[in-house]
C-alpha cells in the first residue's frame, strides 16, 4: 500500500491494462492516494500522453505490448526519463532480463503484487516531493538567449505592460462580469530546447465549453453527430468507488479521458460552427482584437518566450518534431510573433505545416536583433492591415 501522502503535487500513474478484472483491484488499492489514468491499449496511452497527460509513472502489462512500448518511450526525448514498470501474468527470468535491458524500472506480477508495487510507488512519490519537478521537464535542453535579445525583450515587454496595465484591469473585470470562471487560461506549451511552460491567455470560452457541444449538433456545418457524455465520465469510472481516475482538463473543464478519446474518434473536435456558443460574448471581441494574447507578455518577462521567435507548440505537436530533421526549430526561443507569421504566398493561400516548420528552422539559423526588428516591423504592418496572421 502507498503510505506517504502527496503533499506537494498529485502523483500521476498511467496504467495500461487490457483486463478490467485486473485493473479494478489496482484502482481500488491505489486510487484514493494517487491519480490513476487507466487505459486498455498502447494507442490509447500514447493519445492521452500527447494530449497533455503528465504521468509520473507508467505501469503496463506485457500483454498490451509492454516491451515494445517501453522501447518506444525510451527512444523519445520527452519520455526517456519517465519511469516504467512492466507487469506480466507470469514473471520469468528471461522476461525480467528483457525488461531490464529495455530500461524498465522493474517488473511485477499483474495480480497479487500490490504490497511490492506500493513500496515502489511510495519511493517514487518521495523522490518527486524532493525534486519538485515533473518528469517531462527533465528533457529540456539549454538554449542560450543572446544578451541583446533578452534585454530588448525585458524593455519592450516591461514598457508595454506598464502602458497597457489599465487595459489588463478593465479586461479582467469584464471577464468576471461576463461569465463565471478564472480570468486567465493556461496552456502547456513547448518552447526553446523542448522546455515545457504554461502560456497565458485571457479566458475567452465558457467554463462548461465541452458540455455545450451536444447542444451544437444542429449548428455543425458538417452535420456530424458528436458523441458526448453529459456527466463527463466513462462507464468504468461511473462504477468505480474511487470516482474518475482519468481526469483531463480542457478549457478549464474536467472530463474523463476515455470520453475525450471517443469524441476524438467521432471527429467531434473537427466540428465547425457558424457562431460557436462556447465562446463568450466578450471572448469574441478579445479574439477579434487579439487582446486575449496580451498576457503572453508576462511569459516574455519571465523568460519563457521572446517577442520574436518560433511559436510555442502544444505538447502533442512538439512530440512529433523530435527527429534531427525538425529539432533545429527548438534551438530558437519561443516567440509571440515570428518569421512564418509574416510570410505570405498570397492572400488566397496559407502556409502548409511543412513550410512553417522550414521557416522556423530558417529563423533558428539566423537569430539576430536585426532579423527580429524586421519581423516586428512586418508584424505591425500586418496587424494594421488586419491581415490574418
Amino acid at each position: 500500500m502507498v503510505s506517504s501522502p502527496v503533499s506537494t503535487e498529485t502523483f500521476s500513474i498511467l496504467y495500461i491494462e487490457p483486463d478490467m478484472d485486473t485493473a479494478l483491484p489496482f484502482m481500488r488499492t491505489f486510487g484514493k492516494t494517487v491519480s490513476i489514468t487507466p487505459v486498455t491499449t498502447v494507442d490509447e496511452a500514447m493519445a492521452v500522453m500527447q494530449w497533455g497527460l503528465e504521468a509520473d509513472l507508467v505501469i503496463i502489462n506485457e500483454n498490451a505490448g509492454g516491451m515494445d512500448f517501453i522501447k518506444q518511450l525510451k527512444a523519445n526525448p520527452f519520455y526517456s526519463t519517465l519511469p516504467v514498470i512492466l507487469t506480466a501474468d507470469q514473471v520469468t527470468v528471461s522476461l525480467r532480463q528483457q525488461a531490464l535491458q529495455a530500461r524498465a524500472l522493474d517488473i511485477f506480477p499483474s495480480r497479487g503484487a500490490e504490497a511490492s508495487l506500493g513500496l515502489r510507488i511510495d519511493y517514487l512519490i518521495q523522490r518527486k516531493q524532493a525534486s519538485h519537478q515533473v518528469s517531462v521537464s527533465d528533457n529540456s535542453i539549454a538554449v542560450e538567449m543572446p544578451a541583446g535579445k533578452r534585454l530588448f525583450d525585458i524593455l519592450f515587454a516591461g514598457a508595454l505592460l506598464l502602458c497597457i496595465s489599465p487595459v489588463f484591469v478593465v479586461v479582467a473585470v469584464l471577464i468576471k462580469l461576463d461569465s463565471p470562471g478564472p480570468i486567465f487560461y493556461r496552456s502547456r506549451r513547448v518552447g526553446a530546447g523542448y522546455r515545457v511552460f504554461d502560456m497565458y491567455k485571457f479566458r475567452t470560452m465558457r467554463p462548461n465549453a465541452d458540455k455545450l457541444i451536444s447542444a451544437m449538433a444542429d449548428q455543425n456545418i458538417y452535420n456530424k453527430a458528436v458523441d458526448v457524455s453529459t456527466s463527463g465520465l466513462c462507464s468504468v469510472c461511473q462504477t468505480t468507488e474511487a470516482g474518475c481516475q482519468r481526469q483531463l482538463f480542457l478549457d478549464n473543464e474536467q472530463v474523463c479521458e476515455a470520453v475525450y478519446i471517443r469524441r476524438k474518434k467521432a471527429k467531434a473536435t473537427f466540428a465547425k460552427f457558424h457562431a460557436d456558443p462556447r465562446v463568450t460574448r466578450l471572448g469574441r471581441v478579445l479574439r477579434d482584437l487579439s487582446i486575449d494574447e496580451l498576457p503572453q507578455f508576462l511569459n516574455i518577462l519571465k523568460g519563457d518566450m521572446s517577442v520574436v521567435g518560433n511559436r510555442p507548440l502544444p505538447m502533442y505537436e512538439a512530440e512529433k518534431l523530435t527527429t534531427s530533421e525538425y529539432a533545429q526549430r527548438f534551438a530558437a526561443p519561443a516567440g509571440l510573433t515570428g518569421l512564418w507569421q509574416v510570410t505570405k504566398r498570397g492572400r488566397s493561400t496559407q502556409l502548409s505545416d511543412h513550410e512553417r516548420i522550414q521557416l522556423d528552422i530558417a529563423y533558428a539559423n539566423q537569430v539576430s536583433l536585426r532579423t527580429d526588428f524586421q519581423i516586428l516591423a512586418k508584424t505591425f504592418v500586418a496587424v494594421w492591415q488586419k491581415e490574418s496572421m
Side-chain angles (χ1 to χ4, degrees), residues 368-379:
S368 68
L369 272 178
R370 180 180 179 182
T371 302
D372 285 2
F373 288 145
Q374 292 173 343
I375 293 174
L376 200 55
K378 292 180 180 179
T379 300

Side-chain angles (χ1 to χ4, degrees), residues 14 16 42 45-46 49 55 57-60 66-85 102-103 139 319:
L14 176 59
I16 310 168
V42 167
M46 287 304 300
M49 294 176 75
L57 171 66
V58 174
I59 300 178
I60 181 170
M67 202 69 69
D68 291 336
F69 187 65
I70 293 173
K71 295 176 182 178
Q72 183 180 358
L73 288 182
K74 296 305 178 181
N76 189 308
F78 277 107
Y79 308 119
S80 60
T81 61
L82 180 60
V84 184
I85 291 177
R103 292 193 292 162
N139 298 307
E319 189 272 334

Side-chain angles (χ1 to χ4, degrees), residues 109-159:
S110 55
R111 293 174 181 247
E114 284 80 7
S116 299
L117 265 174
L119 292 174
R120 176 65 77 175
I121 293 172
D122 187 64
Y123 162 75
L124 293 173
I125 290 175
Q126 294 182 46
R127 189 178 73 174
K128 178 179 180 178
Q129 291 174 339
S131 64
H132 295 282
Q133 296 177 355
V134 292
S135 59
V136 72
S137 298
D138 295 335
N139 298 307
S140 60
I141 305 168
V143 173
E144 185 176 354
M145 173 85 78
K149 182 176 178 64
R150 180 61 185 145
L151 179 61
F152 172 76
D153 287 340
I154 294 174
L155 294 176
F156 185 89

